[in-house]
Amino acid sequence: MKRDIILAGVGGQGILSIAAVIGMAAVESGLYLKQAEVHGMSQRGGDVQSHLRISDQPVSSDLIPVGRCDMILSVEPMEALRYLPFLAPEGWLITSSKSFENIQDYPAAEDLFREIRKVENHMIIDAYSIAREIGSQKVSNMVMLGAASGYLGIEQERLEAALYALFGPKGEDVVQLNIEALNAGRNALRI
């Protein structure tokens, strides 16, 4: 089992929380993990990305080579396209449809979606609306994690246990909201 995953978004969208949940779940599953993050100007809407390498064999580098990524999981459509050169030909591009327009000449949504649809294995999820329906747009990152969860090679129970570990100090309501978002994302793909 091996998964090379790039997580992409902008500051404040919860990329590092997604990375923490996957990382905790992977380690608790007995898998090897390497991770690298870039979050320079994240508090000003700058890009945030994380390379996650998960395997049942030791992983030598924390950076994913160009053209070898199994999955780009993005919470912002333009950020999904930024890392497209890393995606393997059989890899998956899973992105939220909700844009974060942090520049003046941000492309039209249809132009972005047209490029995303050129990727053979792609999914565009309206995670923002799903998260609002269950109570908070803040958990749209966990909706996206749920949408990707079937491709991670990690059991759902391990992801939920990681949510308990990460959000438990914030209270049971926060944990349950995140688990509900995770399940809503997973169920969104069954439509």
Side-chain angles (χ1 to χ4, degrees):
M1 181 277 186
K2 179 186 84 59
R3 298 285 187 280
D4 288 337
I5 304 163
I6 291 179
L7 306 175
V10 298
Q13 291 189 303
I15 289 296
L16 301 182
S17 293
I18 295 173
V21 171
I22 295 173
M24 285 181 189
V27 170
E28 289 299 318
S29 299
L31 299 171
Y32 292 91
L33 169 72
K34 291 272 186 174
Q35 180 184 2
E37 300 172 348
V38 174
H39 41 94
M41 298 291 285
S42 59
Q43 291 186 350
R44 294 187 176 194
D47 70 311
V48 177
Q49 56 100 350
S50 179
H51 285 216
L52 283 174
R53 307 191 81 187
I54 302 166
S55 177
D56 57 4
Q57 302 294 316
V59 180
S60 56
S61 173
D62 54 357
L63 296 178
I64 300 168
V66 171
R68 304 277 300 275
C69 180
D70 298 304
M71 179 193 305
I72 296 172
L73 174 57
S74 179
V75 294
E76 207 286 323
M78 193 165 79
E79 292 300 320
L81 294 174
R82 180 190 302 266
Y83 300 100
L84 208 49
F86 285 89
L87 193 63
E90 68 282 358
W92 278 88
L93 173 59
I94 302 173
T95 185
S96 171
S97 61
K98 177 74 172 160
S99 62
F100 185 91
E101 298 182 18
N102 54 356
I103 56 174
Q104 289 182 345
D105 56 348
Y106 191 93
E110 264 317 304
D111 291 340
L112 294 173
F113 297 148
R114 186 178 314 112
E115 292 302 312
I116 290 167
R117 289 183 185 112
K118 290 178 182 176
V119 176
E120 183 176 343
N121 299 320
H122 72 272
M123 287 185 273
I124 302 170
I125 310 291
D126 187 358
Y128 184 80
S129 294
I130 293 169
R132 285 184 66 175
E133 285 176 17
I134 63 171
S136 175
Q137 63 198 31
K138 292 180 180 178
V139 293
S140 62
N141 61 334
M142 291 304 143
V143 172
M144 291 305 301
L145 176 57
S149 63
Y151 301 93
L152 294 175
I154 297 174
E155 294 177 10
Q156 182 81 1
E157 294 77 22
R158 296 284 189 189
L159 293 172
E160 290 184 13
L163 286 172
Y164 270 103
L166 187 64
F167 295 114
K170 295 183 177 182
E172 184 67 21
D173 291 349
V174 174
V175 171
Q176 290 306 319
L177 181 62
N178 279 278
I179 289 175
E180 190 174 352
L182 184 76
N183 290 328
R186 192 173 182 94
N187 291 334
L189 297 181
R190 295 182 184 154
I191 296 172

